[in-house]
Amino acid sequence: MARRENPEINAGSMADIAFLLLIFFLVTTTMDVDSGISRKLPEKQPDTDIKPPVLKEKNIFEVNINRNNDLLVEGDAMKIEDLRQAAIDFIDNGGGNGKKVDGKEGEPCDYCNGAKSPTSSDHPNKAVISIQSDRGTDYGMFVSVQNELGAAYTELRNRLGLKKYNRSYTDLVKDLSNNKGNEELKAKISFLKKAYPQVISEAEPTK
């Protein structure tokens, strides 16, 4: 009796189907994308031999966050909701002269409304805020501190903008986004940024 051979199954179409299913899942599957914080890096110095300027201790506003998310400002415990006003008082103190220009002594701040304390910052263009965190600090706490410090600069710029231009800094920025070629708006925004330059130093986290 002749041996019957089993008919072969054509698997070519199955491979095509599997390939189409793979493409379908790749196209339809959503992937989580981690988004970071937009930060502008400092410009590269043209000469590596340039020595950093000597800063007076009173011109540095120290903000420390420990691993328990406790906030220490100038060595004293502080709540996050009080940080913005403390930063404003420091930046806007106006206790001395500004940076030297062309070798000449800088001028005092004639737009500052601070207490002019001799133990606080001399001028907004000399004020430096230093943030020191711990590797155990929560990311949310660190971002909250950054937000409060950034809001302090914005509030000071808004106040000066309303006084000088009858328009807040925030509104001027919005106006510029709708009219990017307006040189007058650019000049006003540039003036407010130079009046209150945002200088925030982020030190390497402690272990």
Side-chain angles (χ1 to χ4, degrees):
M1 184 176 180
R3 185 178 178 182
R4 298 177 59 185
E5 295 182 359
N6 294 326
E8 294 182 358
I9 300 175
N10 186 3
S13 59
M14 296 180 64
D16 292 338
I17 294 172
F19 181 73
L20 290 174
L21 288 173
L22 178 62
I23 296 297
F24 172 78
F25 286 117
L26 287 175
V27 171
T28 57
T29 301
T30 58
M31 298 182 182
D32 294 332
V33 178
D34 294 332
S35 56
I37 303 173
S38 178
R39 303 288 291 177
K40 183 177 180 181
L41 297 176
E43 296 180 1
K44 182 180 178 181
Q45 294 292 336
D47 188 353
T48 55
D49 295 331
I50 294 178
K51 294 182 180 180
V54 179
L55 298 176
K56 294 181 180 179
E57 185 176 352
K58 68 175 184 175
N59 287 322
I60 302 176
F61 187 72
E62 294 185 357
V63 179
N64 294 278
I65 319 168
N66 64 18
R67 62 177 60 250
N68 298 320
N69 295 321
D70 297 322
L71 189 62
L72 297 174
V73 179
E74 297 289 282
D76 297 326
M78 181 177 291
K79 295 181 180 179
I80 186 68
E81 53 264 27
D82 298 326
L83 178 60
R84 185 185 308 185
Q85 187 58 50
I88 289 174
D89 293 341
F90 166 76
I91 300 165
D92 200 43
N93 179 63
N97 294 331
K99 292 181 179 180
K100 291 184 178 180
V101 180
D102 297 330
K104 297 180 181 180
E105 189 65 31
E107 297 292 331
C109 182
D110 58 359
Y111 51 84
C112 291
N113 294 336
K116 302 189 185 305
S117 170
T119 60
S120 190
S121 69
D122 290 325
H123 195 280
N125 63 23
K126 284 186 177 180
V128 177
I129 295 179
S130 174
I131 304 176
Q132 176 74 67
S133 61
D134 188 275
R135 293 194 183 278
T137 302
D138 287 348
Y139 182 74
M141 180 62 178
F142 183 76
V143 172
S144 296
V145 168
Q146 284 187 323
N147 288 342
E148 290 301 311
L149 295 175
Y153 282 101
T154 301
E155 187 170 329
L156 288 169
R157 291 171 180 175
N158 283 340
R159 188 191 67 194
L160 182 59
L162 288 170
K163 181 180 178 181
K164 189 174 179 64
Y165 305 119
N166 200 29
R167 192 82 172 150
S168 71
Y169 169 78
T170 303
D171 289 337
L172 289 172
V173 172
K174 289 180 180 178
D175 293 342
L176 184 62
S177 65
N178 297 326
N179 190 4
K180 296 182 179 180
N182 193 315
E183 296 298 328
E184 183 181 356
L185 286 174
K186 290 181 180 179
K188 290 179 179 179
I189 293 172
S190 177
F191 172 82
L192 295 176
K193 285 183 176 180
K194 288 180 180 179
Y196 289 106
Q198 182 171 320
V199 184
I200 299 178
S201 171
E202 298 174 9
E204 185 73 18
T206 57
K207 296 181 180 180

